[in-house]
Amino acid sequence: PKKVTLDFISKGHVHFLADTQLEKNIEISDERSGNNKGTVTIHGIVYEDPKTFNDMPVKFIANKTNTNPTPTYNITIKPGWTQQLSVDTEAMGWNGVAQSSPVGFSIPNVTGGTHVEGGDWTLLTFKGKMTENYASPGSENQGFAEEPLMEFTVKGGVEANGNDGLSIKETNTPFGDFKTVFDFANKRLVGSLTKKSTPPPLTLPGININEGAVEFCGDPAGFYVAGGFKTFVTIPFIQGDYNLGFMLGSYTNGGRLKSEVWPLVTRFKDPLVYSECYPNYINWQLKGFYFTLDRILFNVKEDYDFVVAGGGVKAYASVGADIFANFSGKATAGMSAIMKFYLEAYLNAITGTSIEGSLDAQSLFSCYVSGNEFILALMLDLSVHAKIDQWPVGTVFDKTVHGHLGGSTNSGLSFSLGGGGGNRTTNCPTFK
């Protein structure tokens, strides 16, 4: 026969329809060479009813071999076909020409199909590099940062998947560089706005943003908006350099919160006033908001040379504050403040005498309100160190005194004084 009529439905409401507009739509090869016992090929199209994707020209191929008496059945998309994704195209047969469009997206040289497996058809899939359609020459490269390899599966609706996610090209805006990525594997949409460190700063009322980024995310674990910035506040009396960070939302993916979000929020935070009290308190499950800021009050290092003696002084002071509210279970709100002060001095004389000393102080204050419960906690650490060396005798005096004052409304007040360096880590208050 030259022409057959064939219309059947496979999985996902996908129809195969033989192209009866062709003068000949069937090819039969009964050549029995090697293992092959013959092939039947029918030209047609695949479509879905109701329509969710544009019709595609395909070949229906039935093949039988000596080693496998049960025929194999495959449907493959016509080579070189361009599949439009964003605009409807008219139904066309095997000899139809792919329609172009000045808008939307398409997949040139799309590949894919379906086959019989275990006595039933598999789902129809098609894939390729998704490209942007262009209204005019020279308007290329306006959308994707890189053309993503996309795979579409027809399940009575079209499900998309991309191996590396779908990344929209970074766009320069007055507020910074904007970028959006959709991660198909994790069903996650992430957008970011980045202010790079290159001048000039982003100038807003009362504040200049020198560097930083803000990110929003939505996925099955919830959503969040988070950011971290290095700024300069221009308001009189509090003018100076500040490091800011924040996050808000409802997000239960603790692994991502710990590995991606928290480093963004604390990216510019001074390490000496850094703590993980808040994320540990909420067990890395965000259901509220968190705001942090810190400022280096001074950081000075000076060396002196007086011919017969030399010395130096190093001084450092930093303060930080955190404010938060959490709405998991009982609503909880709180704030904490931390201050770090360090002073070091040394003197070397030509007589062989060397004197050095340091003062290291750290304080932490926290208060939480949870339901009808009010919790107050404080901690003060102080270390004083002095050392004297005399040549050729060696060290004649080396002493460190450490004091600790701490307590909360739960545990009461405690005080200790003794030698040694003490615990120089930032202690988080203990709550019920």
Side-chain angles (χ1 to χ4, degrees):
K2 291 186 176 181
K3 187 181 299 186
V4 296
T5 301
L6 181 62
D7 186 351
F8 65 86
I9 303 176
S10 63
K11 281 186 177 179
H13 306 294
V14 173
H15 291 245
F16 170 82
L17 178 65
D19 185 2
T20 57
Q21 301 299 315
L22 294 173
E23 182 179 347
K24 182 178 180 181
N25 66 5
I26 183 170
E27 297 174 2
I28 300 176
S29 172
D30 57 1
E31 181 181 347
R32 299 173 181 270
S33 60
N35 190 42
N36 187 53
K37 293 187 67 176
T39 302
V40 176
T41 303
I42 302 175
H43 298 82
I45 62 170
V46 287
Y47 68 96
E48 188 177 23
D49 187 16
K51 182 178 181 178
T52 58
F53 66 92
N54 289 315
D55 306 349
M56 288 184 285
V58 296
K59 284 182 180 181
F60 170 85
I61 303 171
N63 181 259
K64 195 174 183 179
T65 63
N66 289 317
T67 55
N68 184 9
T70 302
T72 60
Y73 300 99
N74 294 274
I75 293 177
T76 60
I77 300 172
K78 182 180 180 179
W81 181 255
T82 296
Q83 182 70 0
Q84 291 293 337
L85 300 176
S86 304
V87 294
D88 287 339
T89 57
E90 297 178 2
M92 292 175 288
W94 173 260
N95 287 331
V97 178
Q99 298 182 22
S100 61
S101 173
V103 296
F105 303 93
S106 60
I107 300 182
N109 300 309
V110 63
T111 61
T114 178
H115 63 277
V116 171
E117 186 177 289
D120 196 6
W121 288 95
T122 60
L123 293 168
L124 173 67
T125 62
F126 55 96
K127 65 181 179 179
K129 289 279 190 177
M130 188 162 74
T131 62
E132 185 178 7
N133 297 328
Y134 308 118
S136 59
S139 60
E140 293 89 339
N141 203 25
Q142 297 298 310
F144 297 126
E146 181 179 349
E147 293 178 347
L149 176 62
M150 303 295 298
E151 183 173 2
F152 297 86
T153 304
V154 182
K155 299 181 176 180
V158 180
E159 179 180 284
N161 187 33
N163 293 343
D164 302 316
L166 177 62
S167 177
I168 304 302
K169 185 183 177 184
E170 194 170 76
T171 304
N172 184 264
T173 74
F175 299 99
D177 296 327
F178 179 71
K179 184 178 181 181
T180 307
V181 175
F182 186 76
D183 181 348
F184 287 91
N186 295 295
K187 298 180 175 63
R188 176 180 298 134
L189 176 65
V190 179
S192 61
L193 185 64
T194 303
K195 169 62 181 78
K196 297 178 181 178
S197 58
T198 52
L202 173 61
T203 302
L204 301 173
I207 187 171
N208 294 336
I209 298 177
N210 297 315
E211 184 179 359
V214 62
E215 176 180 289
F216 69 84
C217 170
D219 66 20
F223 77 96
Y224 67 80
V225 181
F229 305 95
K230 181 182 289 186
T231 71
F232 181 81
V233 174
T234 58
I235 302 173
F237 304 110
I238 61 170
Q239 180 175 319
D241 294 306
Y242 290 84
N243 302 316
L244 308 178
F246 77 95
M247 60 180 178
L248 62 91
S250 175
Y251 198 69
T252 57
N253 185 337
R256 181 175 176 82
L257 202 70
K258 191 171 188 176
S259 64
E260 302 290 338
V261 185
W262 185 250
L264 172 64
V265 173
T266 59
R267 175 183 173 187
F268 300 105
K269 194 167 184 67
D270 180 7
L272 291 179
V273 295
Y274 171 89
S275 79
E276 294 184 355
C277 294
Y278 170 71
N280 285 320
Y281 175 70
I282 63 172
N283 196 28
W284 299 94
Q285 304 288 299
L286 177 65
K287 292 185 181 293
F289 73 85
Y290 169 81
F291 176 78
T292 181
L293 79 150
D294 66 86
R295 181 185 181 187
I296 298 175
L297 299 177
F298 53 82
N299 185 8
V300 179
K301 183 178 180 180
E302 296 289 348
D303 295 311
Y304 303 96
D305 186 359
F306 303 108
V307 182
V308 296
V313 175
K314 180 180 179 180
Y316 185 94
S318 181
V319 294
D322 299 341
I323 302 172
F324 80 91
N326 204 59
F327 303 99
S328 177
K330 288 191 299 184
T332 304
M335 65 84 61
S336 64
I338 186 171
M339 180 174 182
K340 177 79 174 183
F341 174 77
Y342 182 79
L343 176 64
E344 178 184 296
Y346 71 93
L347 177 66
N348 297 319
I350 60 174
T351 59
T353 303
S354 176
I355 303 173
E356 64 180 69
S358 64
L359 172 66
D360 192 356
Q362 178 178 274
S363 63
L364 173 68
F365 169 82
S366 299
C367 64
Y368 287 23
V369 178
S370 180
N372 296 323
E373 184 181 15
F374 176 75
I375 305 167
L376 180 67
L378 62 89
M379 181 270 292
L380 174 63
D381 272 313
L382 181 66
S383 289
V384 180
H385 175 245
K387 183 180 180 181
I388 301 176
D389 289 329
Q390 178 61 57
W391 185 86
V393 178
T395 300
V396 296
F397 182 83
D398 189 354
K399 184 72 173 179
T400 298
V401 178
H402 176 72
H404 174 83
L405 175 67
S408 72
T409 52
N410 292 335
S411 61
L413 194 64
S414 64
F415 176 75
S416 63
L417 183 66
N423 181 10
R424 302 311 305 147
T425 60
T426 299
N427 297 310
C428 297
T430 303
F431 304 102
K432 291 181 180 178

